[in-house]
Amino acid sequence: MKKTFLVLLSIIIPFIGSAQEKKIDSTAVFILDHMSEVIGQLESCRYQITTSMDHPSTEVEYEKDFTESEVFLQGPDKLLIHSKGKHGHRGFYYDGELFTHYSYSENNYTTVEAPSTIISMIDTINSQYGVDFPAADFFYPTFTDDLLENFDKLVFLGNKYVEGKDCFHIAATNDKLNVQLWVANDAMNMPVKMLIIHNDQPHSPQYEATFTSWEFNPVLPTSIFSFTPPPGARLIAILPKKH
């Protein structure tokens, strides 16, 4: 998470000096720390993620946009995301040196130099170009600490049955956001679902991410992370984000 909560929490204003007393549940901290520890020990993983986001609409105030992505990750410096949704079919390639965004729908691409680790690449590309990476927050080693720093309350809400799995239900809240997490109650403790409610905006728009089809330490060919332009693909410029 660090500088931003990426797609999800990019508008957070850090919790500073509130008079409200913090409420921190040690059970919630224990579960999140264990989840982060397991994720940090993975050499590689593969999973699918479905996200929905509320966007302003002239007809119904908010409409939901859905995106489905398949993620391939090999630590510490390789990432591939195939994504289909509102913006068409897209690919995000990172091989430790270059980051490439390719539009399968339009057959064009842009490539920029990138830092040498996945985490630093995500921070840099998001900050400089506004590229969002779906629910990558869980892969930050500081995930629990960032929640503790930015939220007034972190609580364990009990065991729930979600997406066909027994899960631990955890919530983090402040005066702007209500973040709810469901973590699998099994040996691996992977994230199953995340919900973000923006209470500081009219009608409280929501963002939701659901994780499925986890594969742990799969053998991933290095070549899949490097982008080779297909015939006829156009190289286009990527514009820096306006701050």
Side-chain angles (χ1 to χ4, degrees):
M1 284 177 352
K2 289 187 179 177
K3 298 178 183 176
T4 61
F5 213 104
L6 305 174
V7 175
L8 318 178
L9 304 183
S10 59
I11 64 167
I12 281 184
I13 299 175
F15 171 80
I16 300 176
S18 170
Q20 182 173 348
E21 183 179 354
K22 288 211 173 193
K23 179 180 179 180
I24 306 300
D25 188 325
S26 60
T27 301
V29 173
F30 177 83
I31 293 168
L32 294 177
D33 278 344
H34 187 262
M35 178 194 71
S36 294
E37 182 179 4
V38 173
I39 290 175
Q41 292 177 1
L42 294 176
E43 295 181 2
S44 63
C45 66
R46 175 181 180 177
Y47 59 91
Q48 294 181 350
I49 178 171
T50 301
T51 62
S52 68
M53 180 178 292
D54 293 339
H55 288 286
S57 169
T58 56
E59 299 294 333
V60 290
E61 293 187 292
Y62 286 107
E63 61 180 81
K64 283 190 181 293
D65 290 329
F66 292 88
T67 302
E68 295 184 356
S69 302
E70 187 172 20
V71 180
F72 304 81
L73 186 150
Q74 182 170 294
D77 59 359
K78 291 176 175 55
L79 177 68
L80 169 63
I81 302 174
H82 279 285
S83 182
K84 295 181 180 180
K86 176 182 179 181
H87 300 290
H89 182 190
R90 301 184 295 167
F92 302 88
Y93 296 79
Y94 169 65
D95 61 5
E97 297 181 356
L98 298 174
F99 169 80
T100 300
H101 166 263
Y102 173 62
S103 172
Y104 288 84
S105 303
E106 300 177 1
N107 197 25
N108 59 40
Y109 68 98
T110 184
T111 298
V112 296
E113 293 185 356
S116 59
T117 67
I118 295 170
I119 299 299
S120 59
M121 179 276 294
I122 289 175
D123 279 342
T124 299
I125 299 300
N126 176 266
S127 174
Q128 293 184 0
Y129 301 105
V131 176
D132 295 322
F133 297 84
D137 317 84
F138 292 102
F139 290 91
Y140 280 78
T142 58
F143 181 74
T144 306
D145 290 338
D146 292 335
L147 287 176
L148 293 173
E149 178 182 353
N150 290 293
F151 289 85
D152 306 323
K153 182 184 294 185
L154 180 65
V155 293
F156 173 58
L157 299 178
N159 289 19
K160 306 291 174 63
Y161 191 71
V162 178
E163 301 293 334
K165 290 182 175 292
D166 291 317
C167 294
F168 301 117
H169 188 189
I170 295 168
T173 61
N174 59 25
D175 59 349
K176 294 177 173 59
L177 295 168
N178 179 330
V179 177
Q180 299 188 35
L181 312 169
W182 289 264
V183 178
N185 181 7
D186 57 21
M188 297 300 289
N189 294 142
M190 289 295 104
V192 173
K193 186 182 287 288
M194 173 160 56
L195 173 68
I196 299 172
I197 304 171
H198 295 274
N199 291 325
D200 61 331
Q201 298 182 31
H203 307 290
S204 301
Q206 298 184 5
Y207 174 94
E208 184 174 304
T210 302
F211 298 80
T212 59
S213 304
W214 282 94
E215 295 182 25
F216 306 112
N217 293 332
V219 177
L220 301 174
T222 303
S223 59
I224 70 172
F225 301 101
S226 297
F227 177 76
T228 301
R234 295 180 296 112
L235 176 63
I236 61 175
I238 183 172
L239 299 177
K241 183 172 69 173
K242 293 181 180 180
H243 294 279

